[in-house]
Amino acid sequence: MSSDDVERKLRDEITSLESELLRARTRLKAFTTASSQEPQLQQDPSIVLQDRSRFQISTAHVLLLLSDSALPLGSFAFSSGLESYLAHRPSRPAPSILSFLSLSLSSVASTLLPYLLTAFKEPTALASLDDTLDACTLCHVARRASIAQGGALFTLWERAFRATVDSEVPAASALAQFARDMKEGSGSDLDGEVRGGHFAPIWGVVTLAMGISITDSAYAFLLNHAKAVLSAAVRASLVGPYKAQSVLAGEWLRQKIAKCLEDNWEIHIDDAGQDVPLMDIWIGRHEKLYSRIFNS
Amino acid sequence: MPSPFPAPFHSTTPGSGTVHLTLLPPSNPSFSTLNFTYPLKLLPSRAHPLPPLPSAPEGRPSPPPASSSGSQSPSDALPRPTSVPLLFVLTYGGGLLANDCIHLSLTLDAHTRLTLATQGSTKIYKAPSPTLSSHQPPDSNPSLNPNSSLSPQPSKPISSQTLHCTLHPHSSLFYSPHPTQPFATSHYAQVQIFTLHPGASLGLLDWVSEGRRARGESWDFGGWRGRNEVWLITPTPSVAQSENEPENASKQEDKGNNTEHKRRLLLRDSVILEGSGLKPRMSPLGIIGTLILTGPLLAPLAGFFISEFELLTRIGARNWDAPTMGRSAVEEQTPLIPPREKWRLERQAQEKADGVLWTAARVRSERAVVVKFGAREVQGAREWVGAMLREEGSVAREFGEGALMGVG
């Protein structure tokens, strides 16, 4: 990760320096030429084209979209067990958001990351991967959350993202096939009941279709999860918004996500499993809470 | 390690066992195969007699062979075994040493029923330091894990147990072992794969404790992995693939006696307990477990867990009616409430006292019920599972008291 970070930082630096240079040149040109010639500058097609090419950051653009908390996935409705965890903990000593976040990330990474990565590598296996993940998701509250977000992302793909991608891309045709399977019921529940796909494998294939690297895809998935948990923590009055942002920005979270990726990078889906069994119990008991502000 | 057994036990891999339960006419269960090699021991015990169904006429014909899995006879006409054998799965020394690998293969013929039990918790002894280990875990066991590498750290000597079980149509298995008890620094991996034909039923309890609490152990083992898989076999009448070649007579002939079987993963329960920081991950529990229930014979018990879960008091709710509802308060109200209600209140008070946390849910289009539970101590968990199974009653009735030995 660190070499990637350095590379990224350098690239960012170059981009910003280049844009500064461009701005300076433009100003110089505007200064040296007569004021009457300014309209000509704006109309010069070669300059405009050249300017834009410097700002082509398509991967980052997509990544920014997909990690937007305003993305209509309904993620805000789920606390990933935080609310139930708080109800099951003694109030003293005060529960720490870091310990829960750490457990939650471990659990998500150990159960879902292998499916995300496999879907990314073998997009055509999406339907069977999705069915296997459904067989492995024994906590019904977590399953509901996963299907809700997976379905929302799939809808988002169909209605918004698909048009931006070449339909011949293998991942795009895999998603189209998945849509057909879902409609026919062949890729759905045991009784032919139609349902949406699970979040992690759909995320893998959608990010692949949109040209994001596998590392960025997995990293964004876990970072989004951390953001959702921290956002829930703010709304549950466990931490303040600045504390939440400081956790998000901090080195601890980066290291934690990197470790989750490292630990699960090579894990075959058949070896994926729950490494925080209590998480399933907490999430499963969410329904028994007297008052709830979240759906999980 | 020299085997204390004379031949023919030398002939197969150490620690392997094969069991085949069949029905002899009219409907007497019998082990047509019961083999095992050190350190595994299989001990048949007193069978649980099943009274004939009230409506069932005597002198029932022998059940159809397993291959006729497609025929779904109405349930009132099902052959019913006269008894349910009880089979103990034991290991010498009451546990597994590092590098011990147990492999048990179990086949239940159509309409048979079996109760599988243990006589005590399976102890996982600690692994010696890697330099002392005389041999690696045998790689010769191909069925240990067909898909992938089982051990994340192959250098560490691990104990392992695999169970492959085929349940032919309308057969039933209840497996309720004592919890496994992994000692500090031990490594253990367990894979249990159940293949269920139509109408088959499975009750499976799988639980692991924190180790030897009396010696201060609390989730101090090196690793514990457990994977339970339930696969469903559904016969699909082979579609006439000869639409384009109607003259293909050989294909037509094949079709008659060849129903294709579709194998589909119903559920996989996989728990990985390893790595540093295990104790904070498990706190405050001293034991965790899973109960998997599927099939018609376990449906009443499955429904019972679901309804009891729904009837749990809301977490965080103030109980205005009985603010100090404990055993004594329950006793006082005894005449006022029906027995089941009284039992429920007592059980819920006990859950609170023992720190029992549990959840039950129907999964996979309601084909199975999965119960996840944990408790502060082993005894609390055993008593809780025992209370649930005894109160509902169908396990003791259908599988015998032996099925309750592992629980409280």
Side-chain angles (χ1 to χ4, degrees):
Chain A
M1 284 308 297
S2 62
S3 67
D4 280 5
D5 278 348
V6 172
E7 191 186 322
R8 197 169 301 159
K9 267 180 199 161
L10 285 173
R11 281 183 195 281
D12 289 349
E13 203 177 340
I14 289 168
T15 312
S16 70
L17 287 174
E18 277 177 345
S19 66
E20 208 169 310
L21 180 65
L22 185 75
R23 274 198 298 275
R25 279 195 176 139
T26 314
R27 279 208 307 273
L28 179 65
K29 205 166 185 178
F31 185 71
T32 50
T33 53
S35 57
S36 59
Q37 286 175 331
E38 258 188 60
Q40 194 198 341
L41 173 74
Q42 283 172 358
Q43 284 159 3
D44 185 342
S46 67
I47 289 182
V48 172
L49 194 66
Q50 195 185 15
D51 287 358
R52 281 196 188 147
S53 70
R54 291 173 189 275
F55 298 104
Q56 291 286 339
I57 49 166
S58 59
T59 310
H61 181 86
V62 173
L63 211 48
L64 285 167
L65 287 183
L66 286 169
S67 57
D68 184 0
S69 56
L71 201 67
L73 298 182
S75 306
F76 57 85
F78 308 103
S79 79
S80 306
L82 175 66
E83 191 174 25
S84 182
Y85 166 81
L86 294 175
H88 283 92
R89 297 291 299 187
S91 52
R92 227 165 282 266
S96 126
I97 182 61
L98 286 191
S99 54
F100 179 80
L101 186 57
S102 174
L103 292 177
S104 186
L105 281 168
S106 283
S107 169
V108 162
S110 74
T111 52
L112 301 179
L113 212 49
Y115 288 88
L116 188 159
L117 297 172
T118 309
F120 196 99
K121 291 173 197 158
E122 301 166 39
T124 49
L126 179 57
S128 82
L129 266 177
D130 185 69
D131 187 52
T132 305
L133 179 55
D134 197 57
C136 298
T137 309
L138 301 179
C139 175
H140 63 298
V141 181
R143 178 180 180 273
R144 208 164 48 209
S146 173
I147 286 178
Q149 293 175 85
L153 179 59
F154 194 71
T155 308
L156 192 62
W157 159 259
E158 294 247 285
R159 298 210 183 156
F161 295 157
R162 190 176 56 180
T164 69
V165 172
D166 178 8
S167 61
E168 296 301 308
V169 169
S173 51
L175 284 164
Q177 180 61 45
F178 186 69
R180 283 195 293 276
D181 289 350
M182 285 291 133
K183 280 193 189 101
E184 288 164 13
S186 57
S188 60
D189 270 5
L190 291 159
D191 293 330
E193 172 193 325
V194 176
R195 61 163 172 80
H198 281 272
F199 192 31
I202 299 238
W203 176 272
V205 181
V206 167
T207 50
L208 172 67
M210 298 185 74
I212 296 173
S213 78
I214 191 166
T215 314
D216 286 350
S217 168
Y219 192 96
F221 185 80
L222 291 182
L223 181 61
N224 279 1
H225 179 75
K227 281 161 70 179
V229 168
L230 283 163
S231 160
V234 170
R235 281 173 291 153
S237 307
L238 181 63
V239 293
Y242 294 112
K243 168 72 178 170
Q245 286 302 319
S246 75
V247 172
L248 279 175
E251 186 60 21
W252 177 87
L253 182 62
R254 293 174 197 220
Q255 292 294 338
K256 178 70 195 173
I257 292 177
K259 173 144 181 33
C260 285
L261 293 175
E262 187 187 347
D263 288 350
N264 295 285
W265 201 253
E266 302 290 340
I267 302 292
H268 190 277
I269 56 163
D270 289 338
D271 288 328
Q274 177 59 268
D275 74 351
V276 188
L278 253 168
M279 195 59 75
D280 280 341
I281 297 180
W282 286 325
I283 297 179
R285 287 169 68 85
H286 185 267
E287 296 196 323
K288 304 308 299 180
L289 299 188
Y290 182 68
S291 61
R292 284 172 280 174
I293 52 177
F294 299 101
N295 288 341
S296 85
Chain B
M1 160 181 329
S3 167
F5 295 108
F9 290 111
H10 276 304
S11 55
T12 44
T13 333
S16 66
T18 310
V19 178
H20 192 145
L21 182 65
T22 189
L23 274 192
L24 294 179
S27 46
N28 296 317
S30 165
F31 290 110
S32 63
T33 310
L34 186 65
N35 294 330
F36 51 89
T37 56
Y38 180 89
L40 174 68
K41 188 174 179 182
L42 301 172
L43 188 67
S45 184
R46 250 188 68 170
H48 169 66
L50 285 176
L53 287 171
S55 59
E58 296 296 318
R60 184 163 293 291
S62 64
S67 57
S68 70
S69 55
S71 64
Q72 288 264 13
S73 33
S75 63
D76 57 348
L78 286 181
R80 182 178 157 99
T82 53
S83 64
V84 186
L86 170 62
L87 186 64
F88 285 110
V89 181
L90 312 172
T91 46
Y92 284 85
L96 296 173
L97 303 170
N99 292 331
D100 274 354
C101 294
I102 300 292
H103 178 66
L104 181 57
S105 169
L106 205 61
T107 307
L108 302 192
D109 274 356
H111 301 283
T112 58
R113 213 182 274 184
L114 178 66
T115 300
L116 215 52
T118 54
Q119 290 186 334
S121 64
T122 302
K123 293 155 190 70
I124 313 298
Y125 296 107
K126 73 175 193 175
S129 64
T131 48
L132 293 178
S133 67
S134 53
H135 62 286
Q136 290 295 308
D139 294 324
S140 57
N141 198 342
S143 46
L144 190 68
N145 191 328
N147 300 317
S148 50
S149 66
L150 184 67
S151 162
Q153 298 140 316
S155 58
K156 294 219 170 92
I158 63 164
S159 319
S160 72
Q161 216 166 165
T162 63
L163 171 64
H164 283 256
C165 188
T166 305
L167 275 70
H168 284 290
H170 307 286
S171 64
S172 308
L173 173 71
F174 199 87
Y175 184 25
S176 52
H178 289 73
T180 54
Q181 187 186 28
F183 289 11
T185 74
S186 67
H187 284 264
Y188 178 71
Q190 169 184 295
V191 176
Q192 306 187 117
I193 297 174
F194 300 87
T195 304
L196 271 64
H197 287 260
S201 301
L202 170 70
L204 172 68
L205 180 61
D206 184 20
W207 40 355
V208 54
S209 77
E210 62 188 332
R212 290 171 294 180
R213 170 166 283 209
R215 305 189 97 195
E217 292 179 2
S218 177
W219 309 108
D220 290 326
F221 46 82
W224 189 98
R225 283 184 165 234
R227 195 169 100 203
N228 301 309
E229 294 181 358
V230 181
W231 293 78
L232 291 186
I233 301 285
T234 41
T236 49
S238 50
V239 186
Q241 294 166 348
S242 47
E243 284 162 344
N244 298 331
E245 325 131 82
E247 77 285 355
N248 196 332
S250 63
K251 265 191 183 173
Q252 296 281 345
E253 263 178 78
D254 278 343
K255 211 180 71 182
N257 53 3
N258 186 21
T259 42
E260 278 180 32
H261 288 106
K262 201 173 145 199
R263 195 163 180 264
R264 188 166 180 185
L265 182 64
L266 174 69
L267 60 90
R268 177 187 290 151
D269 165 52
S270 184
V271 170
I272 301 168
L273 304 176
E274 59 192 24
S276 57
L278 197 51
K279 191 175 175 177
R281 252 191 278 163
M282 303 304 289
S283 169
L285 300 184
I287 179 167
I288 56 137
T290 306
L291 179 66
I292 295 169
L293 304 168
T294 185
L297 205 55
L298 273 316
L301 180 64
F304 180 75
F305 271 98
I306 293 292
S307 62
E308 286 302 319
F309 183 66
E310 279 164 5
L311 287 167
L312 280 183
T313 329
R314 292 271 175 181
I315 302 156
R318 276 294 287 276
N319 194 341
W320 300 105
D321 297 331
T324 55
M325 184 65 84
R327 266 183 190 277
S328 56
V330 175
E331 295 297 329
E332 283 166 25
Q333 296 186 14
T334 302
L336 302 173
I337 48 179
R340 175 57 67 84
E341 191 91 346
K342 174 172 176 281
W343 168 83
R344 182 174 301 126
L345 290 170
E346 284 179 356
R347 192 207 80 224
Q348 290 176 355
Q350 196 61 44
E351 280 177 16
K352 200 166 239 179
D354 290 332
V356 175
L357 293 178
W358 66 286
T359 144
R362 295 190 188 277
V363 297
R364 299 290 273 170
S365 303
E366 314 209 333
R367 297 285 178 101
V369 163
V370 175
V371 180
K372 291 265 174 193
F373 62 93
R376 208 163 42 243
E377 288 182 40
V378 173
Q379 197 50 32
R382 293 189 68 204
E383 278 173 13
W384 178 78
V385 178
M388 294 293 278
L389 297 191
R390 283 180 200 283
E391 175 68 15
E392 194 275 330
S394 69
V395 170
R397 198 167 56 243
E398 304 290 350
F399 291 93
E401 279 293 315
L404 298 172
M405 286 188 65
V407 303

